[in-house]
Amino acid sequence: MLYQESLVIRRELADRQAIAASLTNIGIIASLQGDYHTSNTLYEESLRIRRELGDKNGIANSLNNMGNIETSQRKYAAAQQLYEQSLEIRRELGDRQGSALCLYNLGNSALKLDRCDSARLFLKESVQIYREIGDLNGTAQNIELLAVILMEEGTLEKAANLWGSAERLREEINIPTHAHLKTEQDGNIAKLRATLTEEDFKTAWENGRAMTIEQAIESALQKQ
């Protein structure tokens, strides 16, 4: 693997910042392959180096990556602790994009813990930041996750509105739902479609496609 070859060279050069980056890259590949133990071990070594270097941005990245590993293993409470640590550093650095990502991850883990109110609060702040910085992909991801909250709360037609709105937004920016999220999302939409009548589903979906982004977000953030 090219990343491993790079790591060998960087170790020879004793370039610790670069070593930490290579460890992270290899860890990401291991995670995608489902080897969470190896991935976490690599992330931990990267985190240790970054802490020794005082690299706060790198530390925040490592903590977020480690949170993702816990999420992949359905250890959502542990994931939240890591995301919260990462978010604290992001805020300190004024990293708005990184903060929005951590808030999204916190929203997702809160939802998995059946804490819909907390999830909505995290996502409210996340989507506001993404809108302010013009990140439409991040905006779409938040809308899609807010749709899940609405479905969990039994507000089915509004959930269909949001997925329709997110679909139109993704068509406009030409960025599909990330592969690691799509399978679960497709399952949720299929469940929703099976619960509503076909006519109600199609009407709600098309109404969502006709919404502005602001209308979709406002609808999603209303407490049902």
Side-chain angles (χ1 to χ4, degrees):
M1 182 191 292
L2 295 175
Y3 282 144
Q4 290 173 328
E5 292 178 15
S6 174
L7 177 60
V8 170
I9 296 170
R10 286 170 167 178
R11 288 196 191 281
E12 290 173 355
L13 295 171
D15 185 341
R16 302 182 72 208
Q17 188 86 43
I19 290 169
S22 288
L23 289 165
T24 296
N25 290 334
I26 299 170
I28 290 171
I29 297 299
S31 174
L32 293 172
Q33 294 173 338
D35 187 352
Y36 301 127
H37 175 74
T38 296
S39 181
N40 202 53
T41 299
L42 292 163
Y43 288 154
E44 286 177 344
E45 184 180 354
S46 178
L47 176 61
R48 185 175 64 253
I49 293 170
R50 286 166 166 171
R51 280 180 167 153
E52 290 170 355
L53 294 173
D55 176 7
K56 289 188 175 181
N57 184 60
I59 293 168
N61 280 331
S62 292
L63 290 168
N64 186 76
N65 288 335
M66 292 168 69
N68 291 341
I69 293 297
E70 299 294 350
T71 296
S72 296
Q73 298 178 94
R74 301 184 180 181
K75 299 177 182 177
Y76 302 118
Q80 281 207 311
Q81 293 179 1
L82 291 161
Y83 292 142
E84 285 167 356
Q85 293 175 50
S86 180
L87 176 60
E88 182 179 355
I89 297 170
R90 302 283 196 192
R91 291 195 195 280
E92 180 186 339
L93 295 173
D95 179 358
R96 302 188 73 211
Q97 183 134 21
S99 294
L101 174 61
C102 287
L103 287 161
Y104 170 85
N105 287 336
L106 281 164
N108 181 55
S109 55
L111 177 59
K112 299 296 187 184
L113 292 166
D114 295 321
R115 299 171 184 168
C116 289
D117 286 347
S118 294
R120 183 179 277 104
L121 288 174
F122 287 128
L123 296 176
K124 178 179 180 179
E125 186 176 357
S126 177
V127 76
Q128 286 173 341
I129 295 172
Y130 276 133
R131 291 295 290 140
E132 289 168 4
I133 65 177
D135 186 329
L136 295 179
N137 182 46
T139 299
Q141 277 192 201
N142 272 271
I143 291 174
E144 289 162 345
L145 193 54
L146 285 161
V148 181
I149 294 177
L150 291 176
M151 189 176 77
E152 292 293 323
E153 293 176 334
T155 315
L156 305 183
E157 291 186 10
K158 277 196 173 183
N161 287 162
L162 291 193
W163 270 311
S165 176
E167 178 185 67
R168 183 181 60 79
L169 176 56
R170 289 199 174 280
E171 288 172 358
E172 290 176 359
I173 62 177
N174 196 29
I175 300 177
T177 303
H178 196 286
H180 82 278
L181 300 173
K182 184 163 175 50
T183 300
E184 183 175 2
Q185 179 169 295
D186 287 348
N188 282 324
I189 293 173
K191 188 190 305 182
L192 177 64
R193 190 164 198 156
T195 306
L196 291 170
T197 67
E198 187 64 18
E199 181 180 354
D200 286 344
F201 176 84
K202 287 183 177 179
T203 298
W205 192 279
E206 290 304 317
N207 287 342
R209 285 183 59 87
M211 284 180 170
T212 65
I213 297 173
E214 287 72 20
Q215 287 172 333
I217 292 170
E218 182 180 358
S219 175
L221 294 176
Q222 290 174 354
K223 181 73 170 68
Q224 305 305 313

